[in-house]
């Protein structure tokens, strides 16, 4: 139930329709912002930013100062969970993340957990929340177990998540044990973020699109439902956004079976189709193509209008269909915010 003091984004997550729609952008803090690049250079690296709660708080607030978003997303990374489970984590310049040892057999029993890594993140949440205008919603997040497992098993990002998919078929018991462990840590982690001040949380399932329907049921829907039901018991009033990127037609089952309060739509989903197919009144988030934002001008205007029109009677949070791209011009983000603040 919404309460009068709920900020707009939180009210929409609880089922209200707002016009104009509240907005935030996935990866709204990051390398397209000169002030981010400056602080990152000063601190020496990405993880140095993430584990320094003053720096991470500052980075979280940078896009809010510039653009006036309705949501602040905690500055961290989904791979902090495997780091806390005991894998070594590095981000090489221009290389993407590396986790070692890679768990190609799914066995995590030899890893020594480092819960202190997660405690550092809670500090950031508390600092951001204390600094936020009450009209802005503080969002926490974690990766979904399937996406986290793909990195843990391969030790890095991979094109088609083949290692994790092979392991899931070859040794479903070992893979299930790994997923169960990630579920447990993720529930603790999200609950810790909520206790520290997060008002809603998002589960990023970036690689949900690589699974066959039966595997999707087992490795995306079931563990997500498990996280949602455990979090609901702990924090019944905190909305959960599920973002199963690439789920396509499997989105209907995801929305119906996981228990998430809202679904994030990637840019390949037709908003008109999503509106027809999702339960009446279920809030949605998305789904501007990040490349339309790079294009700007008429292409941006047309894409924004189409999305807003499709969701004109459904609770809708405006967002991208995936993270903001590195070479996005900062003034196009301003252009987007101006467009959204005008009536449809
Ligand atoms: O949205 C936000 O602004 C919050 C912060 C955030 C980051 N990563 C910061 C980040 C969030 C929510 C994430 C999620 C994340 N991380 C996902 C899920 C969403 C998605 O994009 O699919 C995934 C798969 C990761 C793993 C990850 N982190 C990769 C593959 C990379 C390398 C690619 C890249 O863009 O460099 C990262 C690094 C990363 N995470 C950066 C940022 C700002 C860039 C680090 C840098 O400064 O060099």
């Amino acid at each position: 139930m919404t309460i009068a003091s709920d900020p707009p984004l939180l009210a929409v997550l609880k089922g209200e329709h707002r016009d104009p729609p509240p907005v935030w952008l996935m990866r709204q803090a990051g390398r397209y912002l000169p002030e981010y690049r400056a602080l990152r250079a000063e601190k020496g690296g990405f993880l140095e930013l993430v584990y320094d709660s003053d720096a991470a708080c500052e980075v979280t607030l940078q896009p809010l100062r510039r653009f006036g978003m309705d949501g602040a997303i905690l500055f961290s990374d989904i791979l902090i969970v495997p780091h806390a489970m005991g894998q070594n984590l590095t981000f090489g310049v221009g290389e993407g993340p590396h986790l070692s040892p890679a768990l190609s057999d799914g066995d995590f029993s030899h890893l020594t957990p480092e819960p202190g890594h997660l405690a550092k993140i809670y500090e950031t949440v508390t600092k951001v929340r204390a600094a936020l205008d009450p009209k802005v919603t503080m969002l926490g997040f974690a990766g979904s177990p399937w996406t986290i497992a793909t990195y843990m098993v391969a030790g890095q990002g991979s094109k088609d998540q083949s290692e994790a998919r092979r392991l899931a078929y070859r040794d479903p018991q070992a893979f299930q044990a790994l997923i169960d462990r990630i579920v447990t840590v993720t529930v603790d982690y999200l609950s810790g973020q909520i206790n520290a001040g997060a008002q809603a949380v998002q589960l990023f399932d970036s690689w949900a699109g690589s699974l066959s329907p039966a595997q999707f049921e087992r490795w995306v829907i079931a563990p997500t439902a498990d996280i949602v039901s455990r979090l609901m018991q702990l924090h019944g009033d905190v909305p959960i956004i599920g973002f199963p990127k690439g789920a396509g037609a499997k989105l209907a089952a995801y929305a119906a079976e996981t228990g998430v309060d809202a679904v994030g739509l990637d840019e390949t989903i037709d908003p008109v189709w999503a509106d027809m197919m999702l339960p009446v009144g279920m809030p949605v988030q998305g789904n501007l193509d990040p490349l339309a934002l790079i294009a700007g001008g008429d292409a941006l205007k047309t894409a924004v209008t189409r999305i807003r029109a499709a969701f004109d009677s459904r609770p809708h949070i405006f967002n991208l269909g995936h993270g903001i791209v590195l070479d996005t011009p900062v003034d196009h983000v301003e252009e987007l915010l101006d467009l959204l603040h005008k009536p449809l």
Side-chain angles (χ1 to χ4, degrees):
M1 236 201 359
T2 49
I3 49 174
S5 58
D6 281 342
L9 196 158
L10 190 59
V12 170
L13 284 174
K14 292 183 179 179
E16 274 185 31
H17 174 76
R18 291 286 172 99
D19 190 25
V23 56
W24 69 281
L25 303 179
M26 290 187 278
R27 291 280 184 98
Q28 63 191 22
R31 289 169 298 187
Y32 76 110
L33 290 178
E35 59 270 36
Y36 171 83
R37 294 196 298 269
L39 192 58
R40 186 187 190 281
E42 187 191 317
K43 293 286 166 187
F46 175 65
L47 283 182
E48 285 75 8
L49 279 181
V50 166
Y51 287 127
D52 174 336
S53 61
D54 287 322
C57 173
E58 166 59 23
V59 170
T60 305
L61 297 173
Q62 285 174 345
L64 302 177
R65 285 192 204 113
R66 259 188 196 265
F67 310 117
M69 307 287 187
D70 293 286
I73 178 117
L74 163 70
F75 186 78
S76 178
D77 196 83
I78 63 167
L79 299 179
I80 298 308
V81 162
H83 201 202
M85 287 172 69
Q87 273 182 309
N88 186 37
L89 173 63
T90 56
F91 283 88
V93 178
E95 267 183 37
H98 282 274
L99 287 163
S100 60
L103 304 185
S104 46
D105 55 0
D107 181 11
F108 57 89
S109 59
H110 55 287
L111 299 179
T112 309
E114 302 257 16
H117 290 321
L118 302 180
K120 290 257 175 57
I121 309 298
Y122 307 147
E123 261 179 49
T124 306
V125 177
T126 303
K127 287 182 181 173
V128 174
R129 182 70 193 278
L132 274 190
D133 182 321
K135 291 197 201 72
V136 178
T137 301
M138 174 75 213
L139 301 165
F141 74 91
S144 288
W146 162 249
T147 288
I148 294 296
T150 67
Y151 285 97
M152 292 186 81
V153 169
Q156 57 189 8
S158 57
K159 207 159 172 245
D160 55 7
Q161 296 76 54
S162 169
E163 281 97 323
R165 287 163 59 208
R166 285 167 197 254
L167 176 64
Y169 281 117
R170 188 173 73 236
D171 192 346
Q173 259 181 313
F175 197 70
Q176 185 73 58
L178 176 61
I179 291 283
D180 289 347
R181 180 71 198 140
I182 299 169
V183 166
T184 301
V185 177
T186 302
V187 170
D188 279 356
Y189 183 42
L190 290 173
S191 182
Q193 292 180 33
I194 292 165
N195 290 332
Q199 295 161 290
V201 294
Q202 173 155 323
L203 283 167
F204 284 88
D205 217 339
S206 305
W207 302 122
S210 61
L211 292 171
S212 68
Q215 297 293 91
F216 184 87
E217 283 283 335
R218 180 157 184 190
W219 307 120
V220 170
I221 291 183
T224 302
D226 198 4
I227 291 175
V228 171
S229 77
R230 292 203 223 173
L231 273 180
M232 291 273 285
Q233 280 174 16
L234 297 167
H235 310 277
D237 58 341
V238 175
I240 303 168
I241 309 163
F243 177 47
K245 184 174 179 300
K250 298 193 281 298
L251 197 66
Y254 181 94
E257 295 170 28
T258 57
V260 294
D261 298 278
V263 285
L265 309 173
D266 68 63
E267 69 274 15
T268 68
I269 300 277
D270 182 343
V272 175
W273 175 80
D275 188 53
M276 268 168 21
M277 193 248 341
L278 290 170
V280 173
M282 183 180 213
V284 292
Q285 176 175 279
N287 70 340
L288 180 70
D289 189 336
L291 301 188
L293 183 57
I294 291 186
D298 283 347
L300 175 63
K301 202 169 171 184
T302 308
V304 169
T305 305
R306 190 168 189 279
I307 294 166
R308 284 184 71 182
F311 298 131
D312 66 351
S313 58
R314 174 185 288 276
H316 174 222
I317 295 162
F318 199 94
N319 205 320
L320 298 172
H322 194 198
I324 202 163
V325 179
L326 179 61
D327 59 341
T328 303
V330 172
D331 57 347
H332 288 193
V333 180
E334 285 160 8
E335 194 181 323
L336 170 64
L337 272 283
D338 285 347
L339 279 174
L340 289 173
H341 292 144
K342 287 186 190 132
L344 188 61

